[in-house]
Amino acid sequence: MAYCWGVRRLFSTATRLQGVMSNPYAPSPRLRYVFPGGAPAVTIAPEQQSLKDKEKGSWKDLTIEEKKELYRMTFPFTVLEQRSSRGEGKYVIGTVGCWLSFAFFLFILSKLYVSPHLPYTYTQEWMKLHKKARTPPTTIG
C-alpha cells in the first residue's frame, strides 16, 4: 500500500513539474511579489562617497579598515548580530503576564460578586437531613 502511494505521488509530482522542467528560466508560478529590476537604492553619506569611489579602483590599494568599512556598507550586520536576541522574548512574556493577571482579576471579581453564596442544598445540615431520602432502598431477593 505504501509503495503504491509513493508511486502515485511520484507520478503526480512529475506531471505537476512537467511545465517547469521544460523551461527552467520561466518565472515561477509561486512567485507572489515582483522583484525590482536592479539593486535597491541606497543613500550613501558624503564621507562614505570617497570610499565608494576608491572601491572602483584597485582593491590592493585599500587598507584593511577601508575594506571592512566597505563590507559593513554592503552587509550592515554579521551573522552573529543577526541571530542575536533583540528582546522579543521579554515583550512576549510581559504581554502574556499582563493578560494572565487580567484574567485572574476577572476570575476573582466573578467569584466575589457574581455568585457569592452557594445554594442552601450544598450546606452540611441539609445534606445530613436528606441523606436518608437519597439512599436507594435495599431489596432482598
Side-chain angles (χ1 to χ4, degrees):
M1 178 102 171
Y3 174 74
C4 181
W5 180 80
V7 171
R8 241 185 297 147
R9 184 171 181 206
L10 174 72
F11 286 124
S12 67
T13 306
T15 56
R16 267 189 279 132
L17 294 177
Q18 187 175 6
V20 176
M21 297 305 283
S22 63
N23 186 4
Y25 299 108
S28 172
R30 294 183 185 177
L31 204 60
R32 295 183 183 197
Y33 303 106
V34 178
F35 292 114
V42 178
T43 57
I44 298 173
E47 52 273 351
Q48 293 177 340
Q49 186 63 39
S50 62
L51 188 61
K52 204 68 170 156
D53 292 337
K54 278 186 180 180
E55 178 188 21
K56 295 175 185 172
S58 175
W59 277 68
K60 292 180 182 178
D61 298 337
L62 296 173
T63 64
I64 301 243
E65 289 80 19
E66 291 173 338
K67 289 179 185 177
K68 285 182 182 178
E69 182 64 31
L70 282 170
Y71 181 81
R72 280 297 192 162
M73 286 169 57
T74 307
F75 306 105
F77 300 108
T78 63
V79 175
L80 186 64
E81 291 171 347
Q82 288 176 355
R83 291 184 181 171
S84 66
S85 174
R86 292 186 184 92
E88 291 96 358
K90 294 177 187 176
Y91 175 75
V92 169
I93 289 173
T95 305
V96 168
C98 287
W99 282 109
L100 285 176
S101 63
F102 180 70
F104 183 71
F105 176 72
L106 287 179
F107 174 74
I108 294 298
L109 279 179
S110 67
K111 279 300 209 180
L112 290 176
Y113 296 108
V114 174
S115 61
H117 304 292
L118 290 174
Y120 67 92
T121 56
Y122 279 92
T123 61
Q124 290 294 326
E125 295 85 19
W126 192 89
M127 287 185 181
K128 284 179 186 176
L129 287 174
H130 292 86
K131 185 176 183 181
K132 273 205 181 256
R134 285 187 299 165
T135 56
T138 55
T139 57
I140 300 175

